[in-house]
């Protein structure tokens, strides 16, 4: 049963959303000095491969600790959008995969942008869903949408319209996925488990695909 890791490693100096700071690591205890190792880690809640929950953008929206664990796993498939010739992924592109969308809990959009991780180009020019496409996805019983990009909204967005549409429909958002190109066609099991943070608006996840 192959397991594919879809997660970027968290480390000092890693790419982070513009305006936030990279994580910081302090060796609070060491084996040599204390007999055990433990790090003090400081990081923003939307660092690396991470999940956005409704509380991230919606006043009074569900927080991480309010969501049951079964919201973070289910059936998924990869929808390849690398052929998109514009900055937007329209409804028509999604409708061609309506049958698969109706059978899964998560749709993972593969743009190929994860190939630019650690490059300045990662932060700009990536394709995003149109409002109508995001609303169309809300018509299905989806748990989440995943992307191999820094955001589901365009860089520099001030009102985050796609975040707003998806999160208001209680669709979780997983950003900064990687390794989607390694997955075979068809449906597989997907897990993206965040830390259970009280009042949490989001958290890093270990995202994996399990192919039967």
């Amino acid at each position: 049963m192959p397991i594919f890791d879809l997660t970027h490693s968290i480390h000092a100096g890693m790419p982070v959303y513009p305006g936030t700071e990279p994580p910081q690591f302090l060796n609070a205890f060491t084996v040599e000095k204390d007999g055990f190792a433990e790090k003090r880690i400081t990081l923003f809640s939307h660092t690396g491969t991470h999940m956005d929950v409704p509380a991230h953008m919606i006043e009074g929206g569900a927080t991480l600790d309010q969501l049951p664990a079964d919201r973070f796993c289910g059936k998924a498939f990869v929808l390849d959008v690398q052929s998109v010739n514009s900055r937007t992924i329209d409804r028509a592109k999604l409708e061609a995969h309506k049958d698969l969308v109706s059978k899964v809990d998560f749709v993972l959009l593969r743009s190929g942008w994860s190939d630019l991780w650690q490059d300045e180009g990662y932060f700009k020019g990536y394709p995003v869903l149109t409002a109508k496409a995001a609303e169309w996805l809300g018509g299905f019983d989806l748990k989440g949408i995943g992307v191999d990009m820094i955001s589901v909204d365009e860089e520099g967005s001030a009102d985050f319209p796609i975040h707003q549409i998806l999160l208001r429909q209680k669709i979780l958002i997983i950003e900064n996925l990687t390794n989607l190109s390694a997955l075979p066609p068809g449906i597989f099991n997907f897990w993206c488990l965040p830390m259970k943070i009280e009042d949490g608006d989001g958290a890093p996840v270990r995202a994996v695909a399990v192919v039967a």
Side-chain angles (χ1 to χ4, degrees):
M1 185 182 299
I3 299 177
F4 296 84
D5 194 347
L6 310 178
T7 317
H8 287 289
S9 296
I10 292 178
H11 59 87
M14 67 182 291
V16 294
Y17 191 81
T20 61
E21 299 173 2
Q24 299 177 16
F25 298 84
L26 172 68
N27 290 323
F29 300 93
T30 65
V31 173
E32 180 181 19
K33 180 181 177 181
D34 307 290
F36 65 95
E38 187 169 358
K39 287 180 171 59
R40 177 180 178 181
I41 303 173
T42 304
L43 78 169
F44 281 74
S45 54
H46 298 260
T47 296
T49 306
H50 68 273
M51 176 180 292
D52 298 352
V53 298
H56 181 45
M57 295 275 179
I58 311 301
E59 188 69 33
T63 56
L64 281 169
D65 56 309
Q66 293 173 339
L67 294 170
D70 64 8
R71 286 293 303 278
F72 310 134
C73 58
K75 301 293 184 182
F77 85 102
V78 173
L79 199 165
D80 196 321
V81 296
Q82 293 183 102
S83 62
V84 171
N85 295 319
S86 67
R87 287 294 310 276
T88 57
I89 305 164
D90 61 23
R91 175 173 168 170
K93 176 67 176 177
L94 304 182
E95 286 180 330
H97 304 273
K98 180 179 179 179
D99 184 57
L100 274 173
V101 175
S102 68
K103 295 176 180 177
V104 299
D105 304 296
F106 295 87
V107 175
L108 310 183
L109 302 179
R110 178 194 173 199
S111 69
W113 235 255
S114 60
D115 293 344
L116 297 174
W117 187 254
Q118 297 286 11
D119 188 287
E120 279 299 315
Y122 185 70
F123 300 102
K124 56 189 177 182
Y126 50 86
V128 298
L129 294 166
T130 63
K132 288 185 177 180
E135 290 166 354
W136 183 80
L137 288 169
F140 296 86
D141 191 23
L142 293 174
K143 294 180 180 180
I145 300 295
V147 299
D148 60 351
M149 299 167 275
I150 191 71
S151 177
V152 294
D153 278 297
E154 292 183 352
E155 69 273 12
S157 175
D159 51 1
F160 308 102
I162 307 307
H163 275 87
Q164 292 282 345
I165 291 169
L166 295 175
L167 294 175
R168 287 189 184 281
Q169 297 178 105
K170 300 181 180 179
I171 296 176
L172 305 176
I173 300 169
I174 305 96
E175 294 167 327
N176 293 329
L177 289 167
T178 189
N179 205 31
L180 295 182
S181 61
L183 293 170
I187 296 174
F188 50 84
N189 291 312
F190 177 67
W191 299 75
C192 53
L193 299 174
M195 293 182 286
K196 190 175 182 179
I197 301 172
E198 187 171 339
D199 295 328
D201 52 77
V205 299
R206 188 64 178 262
V208 299
V210 181
V211 178

